[in-house]
Amino acid sequence: MSNQNLLTILKVKKAICPKDKMHVDYSDGCNLLFRVYADGRRSWIVRLYKGGKNFARGLGSYPTISLKEARKSRDNYKKQWAKGIDPSITKQKAKNLSNKKALNKKIVPNKLQVLFLVPMHISFDSFLNPDSNSRSYIKDDGKAYNSLATDLPLGPLSMSAYLKKFIDVEVKLIDFNVELNLSSDFNYKDYFEYCKTFLKKLDFKPDFVCVSSLFSPSFDNFMDCGKASKKLWPKSLVLGGGNIPTNDSKYIYDTLNCDFFDGLCIGEGEKPLLDLLTAKDTKKYLEKAMCWATQKKLKSPFPFISQHNFIENLDEIPFYDYSLCDMDRHGLNPAAPIDLKFEDGVNEGQDYAFHIMTSRGCPFVCTFCAAHRTHGRTMRYHSVERVENDLKKLKESYGATKIIFQDDHLMGDKDRVYSILDIVGKFKLQSLYQNGLTLYALDLPMLEAFYKAGVRHLMLPVESGSERVLKELMKKPLKKHISERVAKDCRELGIYTNANCIIGMPGETKADMQEGLKNLRMVKANWFNIGIASPVIGSEMHELAQKKGYISKDTMGADFHKAVIETEDWTPAYVQEMEYIFNLELNFVYNNDIEYEEYELALRGFMNVLRVRKDHAFACYYAAVCNAKLGNKKEFEKFLKLFEKYEATPIWEKYCKKYNLTKTRLKLFGNNQTKLTSNISNFDGMDPHGAAKFGP
């Protein structure tokens, strides 16, 4: 059988996928395609025809299957196809039989011990010195500390379940976000010292230490966890996984010359970790497997071409190993916002939320996001039946009443969403959707389905009020009128909304920020979560900022309340000030709940602020206003006194003056003798390359 031989070995090696596409195909002729994915995967595909229909069958991945081998496989495939045989079905049946036989063979002689470590998700400095716009709380030592999210670490829970499906293994999880939240004091000189001291006390001698890290703010903590682990257990294999090692392995090994991570997993870790643990020679396997980066590979003169090892059928992953978590500890976050604690406002006893992920992947190319680098752009789903079984088990076996969905793109299949909402409603579960909502998919019928399922709170990815920023800088297919419509529909249905917004994108101007602030006032959300654009490793925004010299690697530990990008138009200090101005204006001065005279809802937001910032003068002022409108004279007097206490402090004096918040004006509210609106000028808080004119 003749070949056109359009490809060469050199063409295959140099083939790339543009960042704005999910994948691109290179033809070799005679039905053979070389497919290159945006996430780095490379595979061979043969196209076949039958009954007027087009069929595609995978022949294997590159470089496991060479160009020569792919051509031979293509020819054999076409011969069998002509005889009415589909080799993929035959191959799958053989694979299933092999897997069944392998289950007994993969039992390792000695029970392995695997330790999963989750570093705190913000920088050490941010933890010790919380920003004025951060949630903080007072510990027993009398000092304020930044809040650490205690979301269940689904990656380790999934990997543990997958390992236990095949091998006899003992797994332990240490989530430092939980440990530090619950610690009575923190007097260590740095995070490395804390990690080493904490881990030294463990009654556990791991054969493998797996450090999981997703976002840039935890980079230094990720490195310290690995360094401390190798120091304590030099004979153990210390491994890294998650977004950071997937996207920055070269920097870790080459630039930083890291010698304490034995391997860094590329992409999701279930299959790579299982294959490693069951390998006869683990160190040799690390050097051979393309889904593991090592120092030797990255320092080699030959380019390291990584390859993801995805689980295509997510139902192969067993029910998450929630037994690794002490739910009373994970559910206790002293600074968690009331509005994220559903209806009751408090997580007490067994009334905590379980996290779940029903899909992987995201087809979008938002410049500030890097989720696709780990899970790919091709959507993979748990079956609806599997989701129902998981929720049923959580409710019946764990007593779950609240579920938080963590999908990166939940709305990819609207019919599937309707089915999941029916299940949530059937089990009478309260549910929250922190990620994965796409506003264009939230039409009125979909929102009504959410409401019918008992959903009373949605996180809306509004992102920006500037359409130029949305389209050109974020590459997000969203129009501001859609955000306005969704927020309005939610309000009319009785669904509380948080609007997530980002400012400080590379290329964003001061004029864009002003326009964004003005336009966001038209989005009638209950509350706005304002964050600063953080250069997440692996995102297009991070690459652009580095290319233009807006950031350096020294800013790796930046979080979403600390600006590290500096452009020709503004400084980091300017953006941080603007973040605070956005917060003050959208959530207080022009509060939408007050505009709609929904004073109880508005008071809910202000009380949430006061739980973690008792000295917040604006929260005191508007809490007094709401109580006056509700006829709560005693509460009005209480917050009036608190406002009088804080309005003249260095932090608040200039802000109160700017927005005309005075105790004299506030006293009039008790007699309904003044309006809520205030005349304020456009804000330009600082010189573009100077210091802030106002306080934090």
Side-chain angles (χ1 to χ4, degrees):
M1 188 171 290
S2 64
N3 292 320
Q4 295 183 25
N5 295 341
L6 300 178
L7 294 176
T8 64
I9 295 175
L10 184 61
K11 286 181 180 179
V12 169
K13 286 184 177 179
K14 290 186 174 182
I16 60 172
C17 177
K19 293 180 179 179
D20 60 340
K21 297 182 180 292
M22 294 174 60
H23 62 77
V24 64
D25 291 332
Y26 295 84
S27 177
D28 189 51
C30 293
N31 305 78
L32 180 62
L33 299 176
F34 182 57
R35 178 165 291 179
V36 182
Y37 294 88
D39 57 25
R41 291 178 294 150
R42 297 161 168 240
S43 61
W44 299 103
I45 294 173
V46 59
R47 288 203 176 276
L48 302 154
Y49 303 90
K50 186 177 180 180
K53 294 183 178 180
N54 186 2
F55 296 86
R57 295 290 186 266
L59 300 177
S61 59
Y62 178 85
T64 306
I65 305 295
S66 67
L67 174 60
K68 182 179 179 180
E69 291 169 332
R71 288 168 176 166
K72 184 178 179 179
S73 181
R74 178 269 318 274
D75 293 342
N76 291 334
Y77 213 112
K78 291 176 70 175
K79 287 178 181 178
Q80 294 186 65
W81 187 267
K83 297 177 182 178
I85 301 171
D86 188 345
S88 65
I89 297 176
T90 305
K91 184 179 178 181
Q92 187 60 49
K93 288 181 178 178
K95 185 179 179 181
N96 292 339
L97 180 61
S98 176
N99 287 340
K100 288 181 180 180
K101 293 179 179 179
L103 285 177
N104 295 326
K105 292 182 179 181
K106 280 196 170 186
I107 303 297
V108 293
N110 298 313
K111 193 171 188 176
L112 295 174
Q113 290 191 316
V114 179
L115 175 63
F116 285 105
L117 300 180
V118 181
M120 64 176 183
H121 70 277
I122 59 176
S123 67
F124 177 76
D125 180 66
S126 295
F127 173 68
L128 292 180
N129 304 295
D131 180 83
S132 57
N133 204 27
S134 301
R135 295 190 175 274
S136 59
Y137 62 103
I138 307 297
K139 286 196 174 200
D140 293 347
D141 61 0
K143 187 179 181 303
Y145 292 84
N146 208 332
S147 173
L148 294 166
T150 54
D151 294 351
L152 297 183
L154 295 183
L157 303 192
S158 176
M159 285 185 283
S160 176
Y162 195 75
L163 292 177
K164 291 178 178 179
K165 176 180 177 181
F166 293 101
I167 61 176
D168 188 18
V169 61
E170 184 179 358
V171 180
K172 188 175 182 63
L173 169 69
I174 300 295
D175 187 339
F176 285 110
N177 296 287
V178 174
E179 300 299 337
L180 288 169
N181 255 342
L182 298 177
S183 62
S184 58
D185 65 304
F186 195 93
N187 53 13
Y188 300 91
K189 65 179 182 179
D190 53 36
Y191 187 67
F192 169 75
E193 190 65 31
Y194 169 76
C195 285
K196 190 174 69 171
T197 304
F198 184 95
L199 296 175
K200 194 175 182 178
K201 299 176 183 177
L202 290 182
D203 185 21
F204 196 76
K205 304 298 180 185
D207 301 288
F208 299 85
V209 182
C210 306
V211 188
S212 176
S213 189
L214 295 178
F215 302 114
S216 304
S218 64
F219 180 87
D220 292 334
N221 307 327
F222 167 76
M223 298 295 287
D224 283 341
C225 278
K227 186 178 179 181
S229 299
K230 183 58 75 173
K231 187 80 172 176
L232 291 170
W233 305 295
K235 294 183 179 180
S236 303
L237 281 186
V238 179
L239 311 166
N243 183 63
I244 286 177
T246 294
N247 295 292
D248 230 26
S249 57
K250 183 173 177 60
Y251 174 71
I252 292 171
Y253 279 135
D254 198 0
T255 305
L256 297 182
N257 198 28
C258 171
D259 59 358
F260 44 82
F261 277 116
D262 297 289
L264 299 175
C265 184
I266 307 300
E268 52 194 43
E270 287 90 352
K271 291 174 70 174
L273 187 57
L274 176 64
D275 291 342
L276 175 61
L277 266 61
T278 56
K280 291 182 180 180
D281 189 321
T282 53
K283 292 187 177 180
K284 284 186 178 180
Y285 178 80
L286 281 175
E287 299 301 336
K288 179 183 177 181
M290 304 307 293
C291 54
W292 287 98
T294 66
Q295 189 178 52
K296 183 178 179 180
K297 290 177 184 175
L298 271 297
K299 285 187 172 292
S300 168
F302 303 101
F304 169 59
I305 302 175
S306 62
Q307 181 176 313
H308 291 250
N309 196 355
F310 290 135
I311 297 176
E312 298 299 333
N313 179 12
L314 295 187
D315 285 358
E316 292 178 10
I317 304 172
F319 180 75
Y320 287 168
D321 190 5
Y322 293 101
S323 67
L324 293 181
C325 301
D326 182 343
M327 293 302 299
D328 288 316
R329 289 161 59 84
H330 272 88
L332 179 62
N333 185 346
I338 292 174
D339 51 275
L340 291 184
K341 292 185 174 182
F342 306 92
E343 294 296 307
D344 54 13
V346 188
N347 285 67
E348 294 180 351
Q350 297 296 306
D351 199 23
Y352 36 62
F354 284 83
H355 296 73
I356 191 173
M357 199 168 185
T358 74
S359 64
R360 292 181 181 180
C362 182
F364 295 112
V365 291
C366 301
T367 58
F368 53 80
C369 182
H372 62 278
R373 293 292 187 95
T374 303
H375 293 305
R377 287 194 174 130
T378 301
M379 291 301 303
R380 292 165 290 143
Y381 299 99
H382 282 297
S383 64
V384 173
E385 294 76 18
R386 164 62 186 274
V387 176
E388 181 170 9
N389 289 334
D390 284 358
L391 294 179
K392 183 179 181 182
K393 191 169 183 177
L394 284 172
K395 182 178 178 69
E396 294 181 352
S397 301
Y398 287 85
T401 60
K402 302 173 181 179
I403 304 294
I404 298 179
F405 287 82
Q406 295 282 30
D407 299 53
D408 289 318
H409 181 47
L410 183 70
M411 312 296 294
D413 184 339
K414 292 183 69 172
D415 289 337
R416 182 175 179 273
V417 177
Y418 280 117
S419 298
I420 291 175
L421 290 173
D422 286 340
I423 297 167
V424 169
K426 181 175 71 173
F427 291 145
K428 293 182 170 52
L429 294 165
Q430 294 186 61
S431 57
L432 183 70
Y433 306 82
Q434 285 187 322
N435 308 305
L437 296 182
T438 39
L439 295 189
Y440 70 83
L442 291 177
D443 52 24
L444 186 57
M446 178 62 75
L447 289 172
E448 289 173 340
F450 272 99
Y451 187 86
K452 184 181 178 182
V455 176
R456 298 296 182 266
H457 186 170
L458 288 177
M459 311 286 286
L460 304 182
V462 174
E463 313 301 11
S464 177
S466 166
E467 292 203 333
R468 189 188 83 84
V469 171
L470 285 168
K471 181 181 179 180
E472 298 181 15
L473 305 184
M474 293 183 173
K475 295 184 180 178
K476 193 172 180 71
L478 177 64
K479 300 289 185 181
K480 64 183 181 69
H481 71 85
I482 297 176
S483 299
E484 294 170 12
R485 189 266 304 163
V486 173
K488 179 176 177 292
D489 287 346
C490 285
R491 183 175 288 278
E492 291 178 355
L493 285 169
I495 298 176
Y496 190 92
T497 55
N498 281 80
N500 293 331
C501 307
I502 303 171
I503 65 169
M505 293 287 297
E508 188 173 2
T509 66
K510 292 170 63 178
D512 289 328
M513 294 182 198
Q514 292 288 352
E515 180 197 15
L517 178 57
K518 179 182 177 181
N519 290 339
L520 286 174
R521 287 178 56 189
M522 303 305 295
V523 179
K524 302 304 181 181
N526 298 94
W527 200 263
F528 290 83
N529 300 327
I530 311 299
I532 293 173
S534 182
V536 176
I537 300 169
S539 67
E540 185 178 330
M541 183 183 81
H542 182 268
E543 294 173 358
L544 175 65
Q546 278 196 309
K547 182 179 179 180
K548 288 186 171 288
Y550 293 159
I551 59 170
S552 68
K553 282 288 184 178
D554 295 335
T555 61
M556 196 75 75
D559 60 37
F560 301 100
H561 292 292
K562 180 181 179 181
V564 296
I565 295 175
E566 180 169 357
T567 72
E568 300 85 355
D569 199 54
W570 39 259
T571 63
Y574 179 84
V575 174
Q576 284 197 208
E577 180 70 9
M578 285 301 296
E579 177 206 26
Y580 210 58
I581 292 298
F582 270 60
N583 177 37
L584 292 180
E585 291 200 11
L586 295 172
N587 289 325
F588 297 92
V589 180
Y590 298 112
N591 183 277
N592 289 316
D593 290 335
I594 289 180
E595 178 185 333
Y596 282 85
E597 299 183 354
E598 295 178 342
Y599 300 113
E600 290 185 355
L601 277 180
L603 186 59
R604 169 182 169 180
F606 304 141
M607 294 305 296
N608 189 36
V609 173
L610 291 169
R611 288 178 60 247
V612 294
R613 276 295 300 272
K614 292 181 173 55
D615 66 337
H616 201 291
F618 275 50
C620 293
Y621 183 95
Y622 287 102
V625 169
C626 289
N627 277 292
K629 294 294 183 179
L630 292 168
N632 302 328
K633 186 176 180 180
K634 187 176 180 181
E635 289 294 298
F636 169 79
E637 294 291 339
K638 181 179 85 173
F639 288 108
L640 172 61
K641 290 180 180 179
L642 288 172
F643 175 73
E644 291 176 342
K645 180 179 179 181
Y646 300 125
E647 67 164 327
T649 60
I651 293 176
W652 295 109
E653 185 178 13
K654 293 178 180 179
Y655 289 121
C656 289
K657 182 179 179 180
K658 177 175 179 61
Y659 294 106
N660 192 28
L661 272 59
T662 66
K663 57 185 177 185
T664 301
R665 184 167 175 245
L666 184 54
K667 288 178 181 178
L668 296 176
F669 281 109
N671 299 318
N672 287 320
Q673 295 180 7
T674 189
K675 296 181 179 180
L676 292 172
T677 56
S678 62
N679 296 319
I680 58 173
S681 59
N682 291 330
F683 177 75
D684 191 4
M686 59 187 67
D687 183 82
H689 293 283
K693 296 176 182 177
F694 301 99

